[in-house]
Amino acid sequence: MTEHAPISLSQFLIEEQRAKGQINADLRRLIKVVASACKRISIAVSKGALGGVLGNLGTTNVQGEAQKKLDVLSNEILLQANEWGGHLAAIASEEMDDPHPIPHRYPKGEYLLVFDPLDGSSNIDVNVSVGTIFSVLRCPDGVVEPDESAFLQRGVEQVAAGYAVYGPSTQLVLTLGDGVNVFTLDREQGSFTLTERNTKIPEETSEFAINMSNQRHWEAPMQRYVSELVAGKTGPRERDFNMRWVASMVADVHRILTRGGIFMYPVDEKCRAAGGRLRLMYEANPMALIVEQAGGAATNGLGRILEIQPQKLHQRVPVILGSRREVERVTAYHQD
Ligand code: AHG
Ligand code: MN
Ligand code: MN
C-alpha cells in the first residue's frame, strides 16, 4: 500500500475508535448510515429536472414553510436508512411535527438523531448548492419511548454533528467532538474519502454573509457592525470587506470553514416573534459544534449557542458564527 492510499470514512471511523476510544460500534454505524443516506440524497438532488423531483409538493411543514418534493424525499431517505439498524432511540426532523419513534419491530439503541434533511431548499429549483445537517444526542438514561423532552438538550451535549453539502462535489463534514474532518464523495467508488484532516477556520477574515435585504429590520448592534464593514477602507475597520450570501446555510458555512468569514442570521422585526430565522436543533447547534471544533465561535449575540437550553424542538434562534475575532466583535457590540 502506498503512503498516499486514500482513507475512506469507514477506515477513518475505525481508526478514531482505536486511537481515541470516544466512539463505539453503534455510533460508528450511525455515522455510516447517515453518510450513505446523504449519498442517496446527493444522487436524487443531482438528477434535477430529469428525476422529476423539482418543485413544491403543495404541503407546508410545522415551520409553516412550503415543502419541496426533495425536502420530503430527503426526509424519507434519512428515516428509512436509520430506522432498522438498532442504533437509535428516536429521530427528529425539521420536516416532521413530532419525534419519529423507532418502529417496534426493530431494536432500539442509545442515540437520538436530529436533522434538517434538505437545507437551502429554496435553491433546489435554481440548481444552487443545498445540503443535509445532522446532530447526534444521547437518549437520556431510563427513557424508553423518547418524546420531545428527550431531545431538549443543550448543544454541548451533542455526541457528533455534521453536514453534507451537495455542490459541484458532494462533501461530508463531520465532528465527533474532537476536531473537524472533511470527506469528499468519490462518485466512481461510491464512498466518502478523507480529503481534509482537522480543518481550521482562519481567525481573521474580510468576508461576511448576511441577508442584507433585512437590514432595516435589524437591531442596533447588528446595524452598527455591518455598517462598519460596509464602510470599508475609510471606515473604522480601515479595510474593505466582501459579502457572499448563498441562502443555503450549509453552503455559506462550508465557505467559511474553507476560507474564513462570518455568517449572521440575526433576529429582526420579521422573525422576532419566532425567536429568529434558523432552527436551534437542526441548524444552529450542529453548525455551532462544527465551527467551534474548527477553532471558530458561534453565539446568538449574547452567549454561546451550544449553551442555550432548548425549550422546544422547533425553536428558532439568532445565529452569528465563523471566524473567532469577528464573532467576538459582534457579540461584544450586543453586550454593550
Ligand atoms: P431550509 O431550506 O432548511 O428551510 O433552510 C433555509 C435557511 C438557511 O439555509 C439559510 O441560511 C436561510 O434559510 C436563508 O434565509 P433567507 O431566504 O431569509 O435569506
Ligand atoms: Mn435549513
Ligand atoms: Mn430544510
Side-chain angles (χ1 to χ4, degrees), residues 91-124:
I91 301 171
S93 160
E94 180 188 278
E95 299 299 338
M96 301 187 296
D97 300 13
D98 302 305
H100 176 87
I102 298 299
H104 288 299
R105 61 184 182 279
Y106 300 126
K108 278 201 196 124
E110 59 176 309
Y111 295 108
L112 301 173
L113 177 64
V114 175
F115 48 74
D116 175 355
L118 205 62
D119 172 68
S121 53
S122 72
N123 278 324
I124 294 166

Side-chain angles (χ1 to χ4, degrees), residues 94 116 118-121 211 245 247-249 265 277 279 283:
E94 180 188 278
D116 175 355
L118 205 62
D119 172 68
S121 53
N211 184 339
W245 183 252
S248 289
M249 188 191 199
Y265 213 122
R277 166 78 169 87
R279 273 81 21 154
E283 295 167 321

Side-chain angles (χ1 to χ4, degrees), residues 170-181:
T170 286
Q171 293 192 294
L172 179 76
V173 173
L174 174 69
T175 181
L176 301 166
D178 183 22
V180 177
N181 294 284

